[in-house]
Structure formats: C-alpha cells, structure tokens
Amino acid sequence: MTDLFAFGTEDDKLDVGERYGTTGEMKKTQYVMQLLGHPGDADTLKCLLVAGEKGIELESGILDIVNNQQDTEDYRELSPFGIMPALKEAHYVCAGEDGITVFIEGRGLGNRLQPRNAKTLAEQMYWIDIARSNVAPHVDVLMQQQVIGPMSDPAFKADIAAVDAAREALNAPLDAIDKQLSGNEFVVGIYSYADIHWTAYIHLLATIGEAPLLDQRRNVKAWLERIKTHKSFSGQEIIPYELMPTLEEIKTNRMKDVVCGEF
Amino acid sequence: MGLFGKKEAKKPRMQLRGFPGDVNTTKCLLMASEKNVQLDVELLDVLDGACDRQDYRDISPFGKCPCLKEDDFVTTGAPAILAYLDVRGQSPGGLMNPKKAAIFGHQNYWIQIATEIAEPAVAELVEEKICGPMSDSDYSEDAARCAMARETLGQVLDELNSQLDGKQLDGRKFIVSDYCYVDIYWTAIAHLCSLMGEQDLIDSRIHVKTWYERVQARDSFANLPTLDDIKQKQLRSVA
C-alpha cells in the first residue's frame, strides 16, 4: 500500500523531537494538518477556506481525480466510499468536507463559524442545503465537461447539452442567493459556514469561465468582492479567499498550503 | 416552587408538515422528541405533488420537505429544521453535536455517508415497495432496482457495523460516542429499512442490531410512523 499522506513535513521523516519539540515549548508544526484533495473540487476548497479562517497550518497534497485516484485501493483504505477530501493530523484521519471542516474549526482560533441563534443557524443550514443539493451537482457537471474531461483526455469533447442544462439549472439557486444577499453583508448577515460553501461554488464558476452567470446578479457580485477581502478571524494575516486556486492551478494539479505566521 | 426556585421553562410548540415515509420527516420527529419539543403535525402529501404546488413553493422555493413553523418563523429541509429544533429544544445533555473536535469530525463523516449513500437507497426501496403501489394499484416492483438499493445498504451497513464494533469495545453504546445527531440519521434509515421488510439488513449485522435495539428503547422511537401510518398517510404529533 502507498501512504498517500507521505508529503510535506510528514515526508521529511523528522523524529518526534523535531516535529513536536522536546523542551516543553510549543512548536508550530504541532498544528500542521495535511489535506488530500483537488483544486477543482468544491469540497476541498471549503476545507482550505476554513483552515485559513481558523488559522490552522495545512499542507496540501493532490488526490488525482483526473485519473480516478479516489477509487484506488490506497485511497479507499482511508475513505472506504471514496468520499473526498481526506485530512490527517498525527494519527487522526477524517474524510469528507462535513467532517473535516468541523474538525479544523474545533482545533482553530477565532470566532465560531456556526451561528448560536436558532433562527440564524437554521437559515445557515438552509442555504448550505441549497448549495449542496441545487448548486453542487451542476457545478460538478460544468467542471467535469469543461476542465477535468479535457485534462484526462485531450480529445475530450464537452457535451454541450449537458453544459447548457447545468447553466440553466443554476439560474434558480443563483437568483435565490442574489435575493438573499440583498441587504445582507454575508449570506445570513454574519459570516458563517454558508459563506464558505457558496464561496467554493461561486469561485469555481468564476474560474472556469462562467462569470456571466454571476455578472448579471448584482448582490452576488458585490458579496464576492467582500469575500475576496475578508480577513481571517484567527488574528493571522490571512485572507482565506487568496487560497482559492486559479484555472491554471486546477489544470496543473496544484493547491496552495495554508501558512501561518507567528503564534 | 420555592422563593428561589427555578421557573420551569415552557416547552416550545411548533408545527411540522411532512410525509410519514420520508426519511427527513422521520429525522425531524425523532429530534423533536429527543429535545422535548411539542410538535403538531400535518400531512405534506409528496405523492400528490404537494411540494410542487405554488402555495408550498411560496414557502419553500425549492420544494424541500419537511417544513417547520414556530410563530412567524418558517424553515424547510431537514438540515435547517434539525438545527433549529436542537437549539430551541431542551435536553439534559445540551446540544446534540459532540464537543470534541475529533468525534465531531467522525460524526459528520457518518452523517455524510447517511445522506449521500444510504438515504437515496432507502428512498428507492420506499418508492418501489410502498409509494409506487400507493400511487398506482397496478404498480409492480422493479426487482433490479430494489436489489441494487439493498446491495448499497449492505455495504454501508457493513462499514457501520465495523464502526460500532470499535465503540462496543471501548464501552460506548452509540455510533461515535454518546447519543447524538448521527444516531438520529441512522435510526431513520434503519427504521425505514425495517418497515420495508428489510429487517435482515439490520439483524444480520450484530453490532448494528444491538445499536438499533438501544435506539428503539428510547422514548423518541415511539413517535415514528408505522407501515400502516405510511399507507394511511398519517403522522403522529409529538406530545
């Protein structure tokens, strides 16, 4: 079996003292997590955003979905149903965005991403539900047809009907979120997990050439500008949006690490 | 009550519109009962296209079932309703999510397996075995579709069985630790499997079977719809 987490400082094979300190002082590397995902995968991007938001150092490794690495025995050893991304911290391994983001948040710094007020919390969950069930499947189709397909086979021809259907299906949820953002600085007023989810999908749409879907929605566009300059709550000099990949990075399988300054 | 006695908080009272054969409605009924929320129920007849009617779309533009109302607050879909019930309700243990990051992460992993893999398979069984024949008396079950759903459920239940095996060894009785959100998700799945005549999926996996017996013994389980309730399209209020 291949250890898919053999990258970054894990691969340096530092001894325990070097990694975690022996004199009682707290070493920064103590908090380094490893994320195995892909820059074209919205769930991977949500994990990067939360790590940036919570000031958690994170080393990124590529799970090569272009060549279906998520279906290999090595990955299935980590995630039996192929759910991605996967995260490792010391001996702890977790798969899937839903588990990883709460784990990072639990380890991180700054404001809670989950609202405490019952109505605001329900509103957040509603908008996450819309993002997952009414946006994600269509973003996946566009990503597959326009980026991942051609990466796996240069002769790949996009299914135009599928692309058009995905664009059409995105109109209703994008209209809904545009309406919701009218008068709201963030999706439910305060910055929350709902913004993390929508940032990942909206960023991918903008990156793969679907900006016209966003340009016609004034509130979404203005919200995205706010997100682009939103600073991490952790006290670190991090703007989480800057962790988002460019199209070139997606096409060349590159993902940024989350690097923190002094604690 | 003494001079400095604590005034007992009034139980919240809410209304839920849902369907008895719907896994999301089932989860909300369980949560309401676990959190001591009084719930008045009303049928949302998904078989009759109630979710697609304009009056319902005015409340829930994407037709999400179920729907919850408390005073002037309305929300739809299981994730929103479960979170709302959890915060508004009362229970000795406080909120239903685990406090430790690692356990919380594992809980959400198992919730993702439930929602993305197990629930669609259960919905197919419900459709083939109950809802199809309810909508059309000439309906005949698609055996291949049922077999595929059964196989999918078998695979995830095998993994759940292994997960529960570890929990039994370290003395914990539920999926990731104490009773929490993830147990509500899997109780709804196991209950509907059982109603669909697929009890063997549970019984053949010893740790799943033992866990299911534990959740069945909780008061919240008594509020779940029976097969007859589904066929009669009736829900029971949570008192």
Side-chain angles (χ1 to χ4, degrees), chain A residues 155-170:
Chain A
F156 182 90
K157 288 263 183 295
D159 179 341
I160 303 298
V163 168
D164 287 345
R167 283 182 187 140
E168 177 60 30
L170 283 166

Side-chain angles (χ1 to χ4, degrees), chain B:
Chain B
M1 187 176 72
L3 189 59
F4 298 104
K6 228 178 175 179
K7 190 180 169 188
E8 195 180 331
K10 198 178 160 193
K11 283 184 185 175
R13 186 166 199 127
M14 308 181 195
Q15 291 101 45
L16 184 81
R17 290 177 73 189
F19 187 78
D22 170 48
V23 70
N24 288 321
T25 302
T26 309
K27 289 184 271 189
C28 295
L29 291 170
L30 281 166
M31 179 65 97
S33 181
E34 288 288 342
K35 301 294 295 193
N36 279 310
V37 172
Q38 294 187 51
L39 208 59
D40 298 323
V41 292
E42 192 182 319
L43 179 74
L44 182 67
D45 193 351
V46 296
L47 297 187
D48 198 27
C51 287
D52 298 324
R53 294 215 181 91
Q54 193 54 50
D55 58 343
Y56 191 69
R57 290 294 176 128
D58 289 343
I59 302 168
S60 179
F62 296 93
K64 295 202 172 288
C65 170
C67 171
L68 182 90
K69 184 173 188 294
E70 185 187 26
D71 301 326
D72 59 351
F73 178 74
V74 178
T75 192
T76 61
I81 295 174
L82 292 173
Y84 187 75
L85 289 169
D86 188 19
V87 177
R88 288 284 295 121
Q90 306 152 357
S91 65
L95 298 179
M96 294 279 277
N97 277 321
K99 290 181 177 55
K100 282 191 178 173
I103 297 174
F104 197 176
H106 272 151
Q107 171 195 257
N108 284 10
Y109 167 76
W110 281 102
I111 286 178
Q112 193 170 350
I113 301 291
T115 54
E116 292 183 6
I117 305 174
E119 287 179 9
V122 168
E124 294 204 346
L125 289 177
V126 173
E127 168 66 24
E128 289 299 326
K129 296 187 163 211
I130 305 291
C131 295
M134 280 168 74
S135 307
D136 174 5
S137 52
D138 292 333
Y139 191 89
S140 64
E141 185 181 308
D142 181 338
R145 195 178 175 209
C146 287
M148 203 173 286
R150 212 173 281 126
E151 190 185 332
T152 301
L153 285 164
Q155 287 166 0
V156 289
L157 289 169
D158 280 342
E159 281 296 320
L160 184 65
N161 200 48
S162 305
Q163 165 73 8
L164 284 160
D165 187 12
K167 293 298 148 230
Q168 314 262 342
L169 287 175
D170 67 11
R172 285 179 286 188
K173 295 174 177 172
F174 296 101
I175 294 176
V176 292
S177 61
D178 296 329
Y179 187 88
C180 60
Y181 262 98
V182 70
D183 296 286
I184 287 183
Y185 277 73
W186 284 93
T187 301
I189 290 164
H191 176 63
L192 285 174
C193 280
S194 172
L195 293 187
M196 294 309 107
E198 303 289 347
Q199 182 69 34
D200 189 52
L201 283 168
I202 313 294
D203 290 347
S204 59
R205 293 162 177 92
I206 182 66
H207 303 299
V208 175
K209 182 173 185 260
T210 310
W211 162 84
Y212 190 48
E213 284 166 357
R214 277 195 200 106
V215 294
Q216 280 180 305
R218 296 176 76 87
D219 291 344
S220 56
F221 196 86
N223 289 295
L224 297 190
T226 62
L227 184 57
D228 202 44
D229 287 334
I230 299 175
K231 287 181 176 171
Q232 301 297 322
K233 296 185 179 177
Q234 59 194 21
L235 287 165
R236 299 178 208 183
S237 293
V238 178

